Amino acid sequence: MTLKKESVDPALFALFTDLPRESVVEVEGSVHRSGKSRRGVELTPTSARVISRAESPLPLGVVDKVGAELATRLDHRTLDLRKPAVRAIFELRSSLLQALRTAYLRQGFLEVETPKLLRQGAEGGATLFPVEYFDQRAFLAQSPQLYKQMLIGAGLERVLEIAPAFRAEPSDTVRHITEFTSLDAEVGYIEGADDLRSILETVLVEAFRQVRRELEERGNPLAGDVPELSAPFPRIPFSTAEEWLGRPGAEADLGTEDEKAVGERAVREFGSPFYFIIDFPTRVKIHTFYAQRKDDNPRLTGYFDLDFRGLEIASGGPREHRYDRLVENIRTAGLDPALFPGYLEAFRFGMPPHGGWGFGVDRMVQMLAGLPNIREARLFPRDRYRLDP
Ligand code: ATP
């Protein structure tokens, strides 16, 4: 809009110069081409109506170059989201969700929705949020794991769920939040973990291509950050990762710094942003009673992580489909099989070999948009301290 004093009605000029930033106004006027304006057109107003006058001062600048602290930005998220650079992240997120969904459906997956109020969490323990449920105690779902497997037992063969997962993560890290979006897939009639990995990589190659194309069409500045992928992604045995870290055979889980170090080496050696870390020992994936032991070796699972440039994005593997062994695994994990009646029933009347994975959408957006903190990848993040807005 051009506001030259000499060409605009004085009352209108006064209205605009007095109007606080970010107010909502309806303006009428004449539009003409202009080389000076960013959009190539300028508007000379003839009348204006203030629809919503913004309060002043703003708690957070929208057009200012000066960056605000993340906490301030999240406290005033509606203003923060007006910044084009922030909106670009959520265009990427929307495009990624859509592209992943399309790619999975093309692979024959059925999209499902499973309960988020549960009597028992999949992995038990410390990260469950209890909920008052009338006169009972319930928990918010950490993962749709057990239901996905029951649906394989129901003959659905390939299921996909994109839904919130809740984890009472007390630690304050840049890659954990208490409510995140999990994309969970489960596949029946598999022969081994490679069947799973090859679906996952095919879906990602296709989805990334679509996201990049869409963002380019929209002129989104993040388009160039979406890499062109090619399958297969490198596979690094857990034991090799331990050798790289200088602690062969230690069988300790990979911490944040370990993941980063392995990531740097993997990307350098293989040139792929995505890579699998395969064959996790049972001791590392101890909590997952539903993980199948590889070749019935009690020390080794066929489990894998999928990492992107040093951050774990997904984790999965073949599940135990044999009833007796599953019950044994539940006992070994220190849990009571009686807590899982509906789940275990699904294994007693015909259950094919199957497996799947959980994929963290927020971490994927964080990495693609180059965000230092996962909270920036969600509109209204939840963490140990933040329940508002
Ligand atoms: P980590 O070891 O990094 O805490 P995890 O082993 O608990 O993750 P899984 O239970 O295997 O994670 O969940 C699968 C995926 O879900 C993870 O790879 C990650 O992308 C995502 N995820 C898990 N927990 C969180 C969380 N608290 N916040 C954001 N994403 C998460």
Side-chain angles (χ1 to χ4, degrees):
M1 188 162 70
T2 41
L3 265 189
K4 287 195 202 100
K5 201 166 189 178
E6 55 285 4
S7 56
V8 178
D9 173 73
L12 211 50
F13 188 82
L15 180 145
F16 279 119
T17 43
D18 169 56
L19 195 64
R21 277 183 176 177
E22 298 302 311
S23 298
V24 179
V25 254
E26 184 184 286
V27 180
E28 278 184 31
S30 53
V31 177
H32 39 92
R33 278 186 209 291
S34 157
K36 277 188 250 155
S37 112
R38 204 159 31 94
R39 296 206 174 137
V41 285
E42 272 186 352
L43 173 82
T44 303
T46 50
S47 70
R49 188 166 69 90
V50 178
I51 294 173
S52 170
R53 190 183 169 88
E55 282 180 26
S56 179
L58 297 169
L60 180 75
V62 173
V63 293
D64 314 18
K65 286 273 179 286
V66 188
E69 294 280 331
L70 182 58
T72 312
R73 291 179 43 208
L74 295 177
D75 284 345
H76 306 286
R77 192 60 157 160
T78 49
L79 284 173
D80 188 51
L81 289 166
R82 289 187 193 172
K83 296 176 193 160
V86 179
R87 189 178 16 231
I89 299 166
F90 293 94
E91 276 177 19
L92 178 144
R93 189 178 169 113
S94 163
S95 181
L96 178 70
L97 280 168
Q98 193 57 42
L100 285 169
R101 179 175 270 124
T102 307
Y104 274 94
L105 298 186
R106 212 176 282 148
Q107 294 289 323
F109 282 80
L110 183 77
E111 188 164 1
V112 298
E113 291 153 293
T114 63
K116 300 302 152 211
L117 285 166
L118 308 181
R119 192 188 295 281
Q120 178 70 39
E123 296 170 24
T127 62
L128 283 170
F129 279 117
V131 178
E132 275 177 39
Y133 192 76
F134 304 105
D135 52 355
Q136 301 183 59
R137 188 165 149 101
F139 297 97
L140 292 179
Q142 288 174 309
S143 141
Q145 181 59 35
L146 307 189
Y147 284 99
K148 279 194 303 182
Q149 294 188 261
M150 289 161 74
L151 292 174
I152 296 296
L156 298 186
E157 277 192 45
R158 288 188 171 197
V159 293
L160 159 76
E161 176 164 10
I162 305 176
F166 302 93
R167 306 242 171 130
E169 301 277 1
S171 54
D172 188 12
T173 82
V174 295
R175 60 192 199 125
H176 290 97
I177 38 184
T178 51
E179 179 182 22
F180 67 96
T181 300
S182 184
L183 186 158
D184 275 89
E186 202 72 21
V187 182
Y189 296 100
I190 58 164
E191 285 182 8
D194 248 329
D195 290 351
L196 304 174
R197 293 189 279 256
S198 82
I199 297 173
L200 183 48
E201 61 202 0
T202 304
V203 159
L204 285 167
V205 170
E206 254 185 64
F208 271 43
R209 200 172 293 143
Q210 184 181 328
V211 172
R212 193 181 163 110
R213 197 173 49 231
E214 271 181 27
L215 295 186
E216 273 168 0
E217 279 166 16
R218 283 165 169 259
N220 185 308
L222 298 172
D225 296 337
V226 181
E228 182 76 32
L229 304 175
S230 65
F233 302 159
R235 282 131 167 85
I236 302 161
F238 184 83
S239 54
T240 304
E242 289 202 305
E243 277 164 29
W244 288 359
L245 293 167
R247 50 170 206 227
E251 297 199 347
D253 202 0
L254 305 178
T256 311
E257 293 309 314
D258 302 328
E259 276 180 12
K260 273 193 198 146
V262 171
E264 269 166 32
R265 175 130 177 206
V267 173
R268 198 169 60 235
E269 276 191 25
F270 303 109
S272 165
F274 274 119
Y275 50 91
F276 289 105
I277 300 179
I278 65 171
D279 294 347
F280 272 80
T282 332
R283 263 180 65 184
V284 177
K285 297 277 177 193
I286 193 84
H287 52 295
T288 46
F289 60 75
Y290 44 81
Q292 192 168 64
R293 278 48 176 157
K294 192 176 182 185
D295 305 324
D296 289 333
N297 176 343
R299 293 168 54 83
L300 201 62
T301 70
Y303 260 50
F304 57 84
D305 277 357
L306 175 70
D307 287 27
F308 183 90
R309 295 183 182 138
L311 180 66
E312 179 201 318
I313 303 289
S315 182
R319 322 294 190 192
E320 183 52 75
H321 65 283
R322 296 161 297 183
Y323 178 79
D324 294 342
R325 285 177 197 259
L326 182 60
V327 170
E328 196 181 305
N329 288 356
I330 292 177
R331 291 213 175 94
T332 310
L335 296 164
D336 180 0
L339 291 171
F340 306 90
Y343 174 64
L344 284 175
E345 187 186 277
F347 292 76
R348 287 173 31 218
F349 304 105
M351 175 64 92
H354 64 278
W357 55 89
F359 176 101
V361 172
D362 311 271
R363 284 195 191 169
M364 191 72 262
V365 174
Q366 177 188 5
M367 292 307 280
L368 283 180
L371 305 172
N373 195 315
I374 192 169
R375 291 161 180 78
E376 291 188 65
R378 281 191 83 83
L379 290 170
F380 300 103
R382 293 286 177 261
D383 62 26
R384 172 92 169 77
Y385 304 102
R386 183 173 291 280
L387 258 179
D388 205 37

